[in-house]
Amino acid sequence: MNPLTSLGSDAQQDPRVHLPTAAPADHYSYSRLNRYATCPLSFKLHYLDGLESEPAIELQFGTVIHRALESLVREHVRANRTDRIAVDDAVRAFRREWTDSPLTDPALFADGLEIVKRWALREGVVDYRNVLGMEQEFDLRIGPHRIIGAMDRVDRVSDDTIRVRDYKSHRVLFAQDEVDSSLQLSIYDLAARQIWPWAKHVELELDMVRHGVAQRTSRTDAQREATREYVLATVAQIELATDFPARPNTHCNRCDHRKQCSAYAEALAGKREFICTDYGDLVAIGREREEVARLAKILYGRKEELEGFLRGGLEREAVIDTGSVRYSMGSTSRTEYPLAKTVDALTDVAGVAREDLIARLGVVDKDALGEVIEEIAKRLPKTRLTMLKAQIEAQAKRSYSPRFQAKAVKS
């Protein structure tokens, strides 16, 4: 937001007019910067007005997962253990954190239980000597500003390399360009280099615990300088701001101040500001499409939230009847045929050539293959790993189809 354009017309014309601005904070954090960038009104309600927040269930659930994994690894380190993370310990940690939370949905509990159990199996052996920090606090100086925060976990990978890990319980994986440009990871990179100056290399990882996927990246010197400049510019915007407009977007359904936001209420009511009347005007069509898409995401998020409450109610009641719609729980089935045994059966009974069957039936799932390669990477030299990846990619078959795309233009 440009602080000049946020002023009223009289204020722009008369330099003697001074509208109130946000008082400089004694410190900033990624959360504070990100909240302002996402929605200035949410920033105002939270940090300037000090209104009580109400985190969405999704955020509360993520907090339970975070705390369970933190306590699990912390206890492992305190006991000076060099063995595997025990699944039973993970179950106990999750149950303890769930008990201390306001969450009650049994389906959500089962979901979280599976997440931490799979995480423990995937994590395998953890040497306490390689865990450098859990909820590692930092206090950075960028220009005249203090940037504080805490990193979920930091591990020693080798004598000159450390890995900063941030646990994420998101349902959707990030695109790699989002990981590569993440402000949160960029700030963590600066913090890690300050705390452990001996580390020549800092790996940054989003541990997508729901998917069992590690999304990794790193930062260059140019990116670090860009991060510092962005922080300085954003803090200046905040401290000069005289207006904090709502910015309805896909995060609205998870905003902890959504019940105090008139813009969110208007979005739920389907309030429209622009309707195209000339279908030969593609720019106007695009404008209306942007507004409809934004409202649709907010409304769909609300639909999912309401369905969550209904599913919880159907744990207690067989049917919920609103008069026009009857809700109940059903089930769907999915059949999977194990490749090796299925090929054996077809080969033995029908006499079909095994090679032909594997060529026709055997398609490797990209995510499953990624997990296997990630495990192999721990014990394979880099040169051989690079050769392996190149060989696999050379054999991959790719198909393309037209896809409608809409991407925000950065001004």
Side-chain angles (χ1 to χ4, degrees):
M1 179 182 67
N2 185 335
L4 295 179
T5 59
S6 69
L7 299 177
S9 58
D10 291 341
Q12 293 181 52
Q13 294 171 2
D14 187 351
R16 295 170 297 177
V17 176
H18 297 285
L19 298 183
T21 60
D26 63 348
H27 67 266
Y28 289 87
S29 64
Y30 162 73
S31 297
R32 189 180 286 249
L33 297 172
N34 184 62
R35 187 183 288 266
Y36 179 79
T38 303
C39 178
L41 178 59
S42 178
F43 176 91
K44 178 178 181 294
L45 296 174
H46 193 80
Y47 291 108
L48 304 185
D49 298 344
L51 299 185
E52 184 176 354
S53 62
E54 185 179 338
I57 289 177
E58 181 180 337
L59 295 179
Q60 295 180 43
F61 179 71
T63 298
V64 169
I65 296 292
H66 271 69
R67 289 177 176 171
L69 298 185
E70 178 198 347
S71 65
L72 181 64
V73 178
R74 196 181 293 279
E75 290 169 6
H76 192 87
V77 171
R78 284 174 179 165
N80 293 345
R81 293 174 60 176
T82 58
D83 55 352
R84 297 181 64 87
I85 293 284
V87 173
D88 288 345
D89 290 342
V91 170
R92 282 191 290 270
F94 175 73
R95 189 171 62 232
R96 183 173 60 246
E97 297 302 330
W98 178 276
T99 301
D100 292 339
S101 80
L103 299 175
T104 58
D105 185 353
L108 200 60
F109 178 86
D111 190 20
L113 197 60
E114 283 304 309
I115 287 174
V116 297
K117 287 164 67 175
R118 289 197 305 267
W119 181 88
L121 289 171
R122 178 168 59 95
E123 191 70 5
V125 173
V126 173
D127 188 332
Y128 77 94
R129 292 166 295 188
N130 290 331
V131 181
L132 301 179
M134 293 296 301
E135 282 298 308
Q136 176 66 50
E137 296 183 351
F138 61 84
D139 192 332
L140 276 173
R141 177 69 64 173
I142 296 182
H145 309 295
R146 288 176 60 213
I147 310 297
I148 68 170
M151 296 173 278
D152 286 348
R153 178 173 164 185
V154 183
D155 293 333
R156 184 200 313 269
V157 178
S158 66
D159 289 341
D160 64 355
T161 304
I162 62 176
R163 179 179 298 143
V164 179
R165 298 172 64 178
D166 190 68
Y167 300 124
K168 298 291 187 187
S169 56
H170 293 54
R171 293 186 179 276
V172 180
L173 293 173
F174 293 96
Q176 188 59 44
D177 62 340
E178 292 178 298
V179 181
D180 293 339
S181 61
S182 165
L183 175 63
Q184 183 179 24
L185 293 181
S186 295
I187 290 176
Y188 288 174
D189 172 81
L190 294 175
R193 289 176 180 278
Q194 174 177 283
I195 298 173
W196 295 282
W198 52 265
K200 295 180 181 178
H201 307 288
V202 175
E203 295 179 358
L204 305 168
E205 176 185 301
L206 296 181
D207 189 344
M208 309 302 290
V209 296
R210 185 181 292 275
H211 305 274
V213 173
Q215 296 190 274
R216 291 179 183 161
T217 187
S218 60
R219 295 293 182 266
T220 64
D221 287 340
Q223 288 174 309
R224 292 181 193 106
E225 182 59 28
T227 297
R228 294 187 185 94
E229 293 297 332
Y230 176 82
V231 169
L232 291 172
T234 304
V235 170
Q237 283 185 321
I238 293 172
E239 295 184 351
L240 291 174
T242 58
D243 185 26
F244 296 86
R247 189 174 294 158
N249 56 69
T250 56
H251 298 283
C252 289
N253 298 295
R254 300 189 298 274
C255 180
D256 45 5
H257 293 290
R258 62 194 183 283
K259 291 185 179 179
Q260 301 148 323
C261 177
S262 59
Y264 180 65
E266 291 172 353
L268 292 182
K271 182 178 179 180
R272 300 285 304 281
E273 294 181 358
F274 183 84
I275 298 178
C276 174
T277 56
D278 179 2
Y279 296 111
D281 186 344
L282 295 180
V283 173
I285 291 173
R287 283 187 58 194
E288 181 177 357
R289 184 260 171 203
E290 290 167 20
E291 183 179 45
V292 170
R294 184 176 65 248
L295 291 175
K297 289 177 180 178
I298 293 173
L299 290 170
Y300 188 79
R302 177 60 172 167
K303 171 179 167 288
E304 287 191 323
E305 184 180 28
L306 295 173
E307 287 178 352
F309 289 122
L310 286 171
R311 282 194 295 269
L314 290 170
E315 294 285 340
R316 303 183 297 274
E317 303 178 34
V319 175
I320 298 174
D321 196 334
T322 67
S324 58
V325 177
R326 182 172 294 158
Y327 297 98
S328 61
M329 294 298 292
S331 62
T332 59
S333 63
R334 177 181 177 183
T335 304
E336 294 182 341
Y337 301 93
L339 179 62
K341 292 182 179 179
T342 303
V343 169
D344 287 342
L346 290 168
T347 302
D348 294 343
V349 177
V352 184
R354 187 179 186 85
E355 292 78 8
D356 291 342
L357 284 173
I358 292 177
R360 293 178 63 182
L361 302 177
V363 178
V364 180
D365 177 76
K366 183 178 180 181
D367 291 339
L369 177 61
E371 291 182 17
V372 172
I373 292 178
E374 185 178 337
E375 292 173 8
I376 293 174
K378 297 176 182 178
R379 55 182 171 79
L380 206 63
K382 269 189 176 180
T383 52
R384 290 188 62 190
L385 180 63
T386 301
M387 290 175 60
L388 173 64
K389 289 181 177 179
Q391 184 177 351
I392 291 174
E393 288 300 319
Q395 300 175 96
K397 292 183 178 180
R398 293 177 174 81
S399 59
Y400 301 90
S401 57
R403 180 185 176 191
F404 180 76
Q405 293 182 313
K407 189 174 183 179
V409 178
K410 296 181 179 179
S411 56

